[in-house]
């Protein structure tokens, strides 16, 4: 399973990248706004900076919601760097645009996916990634990981090449469960990635080893 970080914060991207386990980055308009990135040029430059920092796929989301607008915006985003993956919302014009991008050699990540039916459509259109939003599904009383498992099962038996990118991760357990059900990618906040490191018995065990090591000096 590949690890992406789900942020536009450069310090967090750097920290995850330095761990040596980072395979890519996903962003969205809310994450860009959180970092105070404003205006066309600033947004384009920010994506360029991320691409220069991380050697992996970088999802950059379109704002347009009509076919022509999505295609025009996506072409500009894709021109920033070969690693850019154009993130397109799961709407009717979005599906049409994903097909257009597929036919024209531009890779896409279909975002805001909440059902298996939506996932089938984006695979048919040739998306490189489908992004089911696990945390938001859990928040509404359903089981997000179950959807990841269902999509993975459908893609496997149908031979779809689209990679299942589990998004809206809220905690380390989400990452573990996504790995169990065969997600191709997990895009996670830094806290959830670092949460995987933690176990109290590791801390207790290390403290004891260090204490005993003093006796051997
Ligand atoms: C996906 O690529 C989105 O950026 C993200 O995972 C959304 O997560 P949220 O529900 O925490 O906003």
């Amino acid at each position: 399973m590949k690890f992406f970080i789900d942020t536009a914060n450069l310090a967090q991207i750097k920290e995850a990248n330095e761990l040596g386990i980072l395979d890519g980055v996903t962003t969205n308009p809310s994450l860009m706004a959180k970092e105070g990135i404003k205006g066309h040029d600033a947004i384009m430059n920010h994506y360029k900076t991320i691409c220069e920092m991380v050697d992996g796929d970088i999802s950059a989301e379109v704002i347009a919601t009509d076919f022509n607008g999505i295609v025009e915006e996506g072409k500009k985003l894709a021109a920033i760097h070969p690693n850019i993956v154009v993130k397109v919302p799961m709407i009717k014009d979005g599906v049409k645009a994903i097909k257009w991008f597929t036919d024209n050699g531009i890779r896409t990540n279909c975002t805001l996916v909440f059902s298996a039916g939506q996932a089938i459509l984006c695979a048919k259109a040739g998306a490189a990634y489908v992004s089911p939003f696990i945390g938001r599904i859990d928040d509404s009383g359903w089981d997000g990981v179950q959807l990841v498992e269902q999509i993975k099962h459908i893609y496997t038996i149908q031979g779809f090449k689209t990679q299942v990118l589990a998004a809206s991760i809220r905690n380390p357990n989400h990452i573990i469960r996504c790995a169990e059900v065969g997600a191709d990618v997990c895009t996670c906040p830094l806290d959830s990635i670092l949460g995987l490191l933690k176990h109290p018995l590791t801390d207790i065990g290390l403290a004891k080893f260090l204490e005993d090591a003093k006796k051997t000096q």
Side-chain angles (χ1 to χ4, degrees), residues 27-64:
T27 60
N28 65 41
S30 306
L31 294 171
M32 295 292 272
K34 197 171 159 194
E35 298 310 314
I37 317 295
K38 208 171 173 181
H40 176 267
D41 291 353
I43 290 172
M44 300 302 255
N45 282 335
H46 202 74
Y47 285 137
K48 192 164 175 280
T49 304
I50 295 173
C51 289
E52 284 161 0
M53 287 172 73
V54 178
D55 183 19
D57 286 348
I58 313 297
S59 286
E61 187 159 343
V62 298
I63 312 297

Side-chain angles (χ1 to χ4, degrees), residues 137-175:
I137 293 173
D138 285 4
D139 291 346
S140 60
W142 299 76
D143 184 348
V145 177
Q146 226 169 52
L147 177 63
V148 171
E149 187 172 22
Q150 186 185 20
I151 295 171
K152 188 66 200 174
H153 175 68
I154 292 170
Y155 282 8
T156 303
I157 62 171
Q158 294 297 334
F160 288 134
K161 298 281 179 279
T162 302
Q163 294 185 57
V164 182
L165 192 169
S168 186
I169 296 289
R170 300 267 196 265
N171 54 57
N173 196 41
H174 269 157
I175 303 175

Side-chain angles (χ1 to χ4, degrees), residues 61-62 70 86-90 94-95 97-98 101 108-111:
E61 187 159 343
V62 298
I70 295 173
V86 179
K87 206 169 171 192
V88 180
M90 171 36 77
V95 173
I98 288 170
F101 288 129
T108 51
N109 171 359
C110 185
T111 189

